[in-house]
Structures are given as C-alpha cells and as structure tokens.
Amino acid sequence: MATPRGEFKSRLGFLFAAAGSAVGLGNIWGFPTQAASNGGAAFLITYLAMAFVLAYPVLMAELLIGRHTHQNMVTALSSLPRRAFWRRIGALTGIGGLITASLILSFYGIVSGWMLGFAASYPLDAAGLSGQAQWLTGFGISRNLLLMLVFMALTMAVVLGGVEEGIERWSRRLMPLLIVTLISLALYVLTLEGAVTGLKVYLLPDFGKILSSELLLDALGSAFFSLSLGVGTMLIYGSYLSDKVHVPSIGAQVALLDVGIAVLAGFLILPAMYVADARGVAIFNEAGGLLSEDTLIFSVLPGLFETMDTAGVLLATAFFLLMSIAALTSSISMLEVPVAYLIEQHRMARGTATLLAGGTIATFSSLIVLNFDTLFGAVITLSTRYSQPLLGLLVCLYAGWLWQRDALLAELKKTDALAEHRLFWRVWPLYVKWLCPVIIGIILAQSVL
Ligand code: TRP
C-alpha cells in the first residue's frame, strides 16, 4: 500500500524547513563565543570559507541524492550503485545515519527541554510562582525528564502532521518569528552600555589565529554540525523537493541563511556578554577566555537578565523562546529521518512510525537523564565527533564514486538544460570525489588520535 510521498508545497517552504534544520542551538550558543575567542572576524572568514568550500558540497551531495531518488537514506544509498556489495554498504550507511540522527536527538531533546524550562520560568516568577520557576531552572532528574518529554512531544506533534501540514507549515511559521525575535533582541541589547566593547571583540580581526590547524578543524566541525550533515537529514528533506526546483541555488541559500543567522546571533550574544560584564556579571573563565556554551546560556545571560527589571523578564522570555524555536525546527528534521525510513521501508502509517521512533528516542533520552554523568557527554562525542563525519565521508563517496555520472548529470538537467556547462558541474564532482573525502578523513584521523 504505497502511500503517496510528501512534497514541499513551495520553494520558500523548503527553504525555511531546511534552514530551520540547520539553524539550531549550534548557531546561537556555539558560533558567537567561538568566533570571539578565536580571532573575531578572522574566525568568521575561516568559517565562511569552510561552509562554502567544504560543507556546501556535502550539503549538495545529500540534497541531490535525496531529490534524485525521492527516498530515505537507506533505500536511496542502496539504489545508487550497480554492484550488490555497494548496495548493501549503502543500506548499512543509511541505517548508521538513522541511528546517529536518533542519538543526536536524544541529547538535543534534553538540552532543548532546558530552553523550554527557562522560557517558562521568567513569566512564572513574575507571576509570583517563584518555587515553580526555580524548579524549572535547577538541575534535577525529574525536571530534566519532564522537560525532555514535553519537548519530544512537541517534536512528535509536528512530525505527525507530515511534510506539508507538519514540517513545512511549522517551519514557515517559526522561522520568520525566529529571525524577527533575533533582530529585535540584538537591536535592543546594542543600545545598552558595554555593548560596543562586545561588538569590537566580535568583529576586530586577529589574523594571527587564522592559520592554526586546531582552529581550522574546529571551524570545519562546527560547519558540519551546523548544516546538519551526514545523517540523512538534508537527504530526506531533499527527497521531498519538487523536481522543478534548481538544487544548487537553493542549497546555496540554505547555507547562506545558516551562516547568516549564526553571524546575526553574534550581534546579540557578544554585546550582551559585555553588557553583563559592565554590570558586574562574570563573563570570563579562569583561563581568561569567554564563558561559552551552557555556562553562557544558563548562567551569564540569566545573570544579565536579573540586573534588569521588567525589561529583563521580557528579554529573557523572548530569548529562551528563540532558543526553543531554533531547537524545534532542528529536532523535527532529526526525527523525520527514522520516521521516513519506517514509513517507506516497513510500510508503517506515519502515526505509528512517529510514535515508535519518537517513543524509542524518548526512552533512550530518559536513560541518559538517569545516568547523566556517564552517558550525556559520551553520546555527544560518539554521535557528533565520530559518527557524523564518518557518515559524511561515506555520503561523499556515494555521490562522487558510486553514482553514475550520466545519471547525476541527468538529475541536474531536470532544471537546467545547460547544466554541463556550468561552473557547478566542473567543480562539484571533483570536490565530492577527492577533496571532501580527503579532508574529512584527515579530521577523523585527528579526532581519533
Ligand atoms: N544543525 C542543527 C544545529 O545547529 C542541529 C541539527 C539538526 C543536526 N539536524 C541535525 C546536527 C543532524 C547533526 C545532524 O543546532
């Protein structure tokens, strides 16, 4: 009983959904402090170069394979090669992708739950319910569990609606809201005392740092995580793309939006940190570097909000809602990976598939919450440091070596009769064949050693 496949109704819908997947916690809490601590604009330039020279080709590999096969990663990769052996490896790679996507969601869901908790705590506190507000922001097993379950339920509710009525509809609503909130927050914070110092730290380039290999690796790793590569997220979104859309240009727009929003977040986060500094909130660690990641989000910024009265409550609520929205448009793209597989390969109804995949991931997440110290960091390292680049490498090999050249060109010619004369056709196949695998290989080797 082949149910008809979903398809994005509009080009814009796809753009918002794919950019929604890419824009997540990584952009807002990772990029700005990383840039500030690593040479400011010099890091920005490195990051842009990484995003377009290395991550964009891999993004294109996923989008094109998806659009060509109109299938999930497992069946897509196993349908590209002619030889049975490579077909089987393709299926295994796809399975690896869906397991990795699920693992990423299992920790992402916990962190995103905290965002929801903080978002709710400020209005509750203002309404006099300070006990409840404190419970929502204090680290604890039952609080972590409850918030994760609420966030997973939201994610499942969207995915349950399917491609058009769930993913596309919610991305079209949430992404503009995210952009408007981000810009308004940044504009407000820029008017406060201390903000300009933050801007300087963010933007003044220190080119001495650009050449360190450590930094290059960092920038590449973030670019990969940020564009949701390797696990089949972009592949499945590409598979819902209409044959009329020109993939190379929409892929470039997704990458631009992702980088653009990361850069925009820098205009909020760094000025905010230096405003906090001017008000006596600690923003440096013992080594003298800027506080980052969870300390930044859950301690520096709340410290800043506390120094403001009503404005602080509004600002804090808007900020944590922004984080929750960024997280939700990313988490739905992770959940869609196993769900699409279950629907297509095991002929499940979308409802059953969503409950099964979401339920399994939430159960695993609960295990992480219950064994936080041993599992949380380990799952992050396993899925994002090792598994994701390895799978990205395999995707490049499938796009570059195991996909027949004629079939690939035919795919590009669907929307551009002159595809073979374009720069893209001259450069991209070489990239995914040689450059990307070699560089990812080097990074992997580095992180294993
Ligand atoms: N890109 C998102 C972020 O920056 C996270 C994300 C969504 C992701 N889907 C993914 C990361 C798939 C790795 C793989 O937060």
Side-chain angles (χ1 to χ4, degrees), residues 15-35:
L15 193 60
F16 278 149
S21 165
V23 174
L25 303 179
N27 298 58
I28 303 175
W29 85 1
F31 177 80
T33 43
Q34 227 181 353

Side-chain angles (χ1 to χ4, degrees), residues 21-22 24-27 104 108 225-226 228 231 233 330 333-334 388:
S21 165
L25 303 179
N27 298 58
I104 294 179
Y108 208 83
F225 184 83
S226 184
S228 316
V231 303
T233 302
S330 295
S333 74
M334 299 175 201
Q388 214 187 340

